[in-house]
Amino acid sequence: MTVHPEAASAGARRRDDANVTRIGADVEGDVRAALAYVLRSTQAKPQTEAEVRTKLQRRGVAPATVAAVLTHARRLKAVDDAALARAWVEERGLGRGYGRTRLRDELRDRAVA
């Protein structure tokens, strides 16, 4: 049996959404949908809280929903600015030899305190 590539990816998305639904079982509709988006997005690429907030705002998500989603994303460790900053410094500072000033500027550009 041959599976069409688009069908396979749609099935994978449904499985991912099902997992997110179980994880986010304690949240309501709009928050659950936005949380599913955030979990998929941050799984693909670690992002700061500010970057996630901006993405949600650009999608037209209500401010109260954004706040609720970020609370849940932090609880699930999908958004963790401190961990991202540590990994950033380790990879770019130790791995690439970037200096303190450059690292600080890059993290500030990504809205990490």
Side-chain angles (χ1 to χ4, degrees), residues 89-100 102-103:
V89 168
E90 184 175 315
E91 192 268 327
R92 296 175 78 80
L94 300 175
R96 296 185 188 182
Y98 290 0
R100 191 176 234 160
R102 182 171 182 176
L103 292 169

Side-chain angles (χ1 to χ4, degrees), residues 66-103:
V66 170
V69 168
L70 287 171
T71 297
H72 288 287
R74 282 190 299 271
R75 180 176 53 91
L76 297 169
K77 302 291 187 206
V79 175
D80 185 344
D81 284 0
L84 186 141
R86 283 189 299 275
W88 188 270
V89 168
E90 184 175 315
E91 192 268 327
R92 296 175 78 80
L94 300 175
R96 296 185 188 182
Y98 290 0
R100 191 176 234 160
T101 301
R102 182 171 182 176
L103 292 169

Side-chain angles (χ1 to χ4, degrees), residues 4-61:
H4 192 275
E6 291 175 6
S9 64
R13 278 193 303 276
R14 278 193 298 280
R15 279 192 303 280
D16 288 343
D17 288 345
N19 290 335
V20 169
T21 301
R22 281 194 296 275
I23 290 169
D26 59 333
V27 297
E28 296 298 320
D30 289 346
V31 174
R32 182 178 293 159
L35 180 59
Y37 167 75
V38 167
L39 293 177
R40 285 190 308 271
S41 180
T42 57
Q43 186 176 34
K45 174 187 174 242
Q47 298 163 55
T48 66
E49 187 172 319
E51 290 168 334
V52 170
R53 179 179 287 110
T54 299
K55 279 186 168 188
L56 291 172
Q57 289 168 342
R58 286 183 181 155
R59 290 175 67 94
V61 176

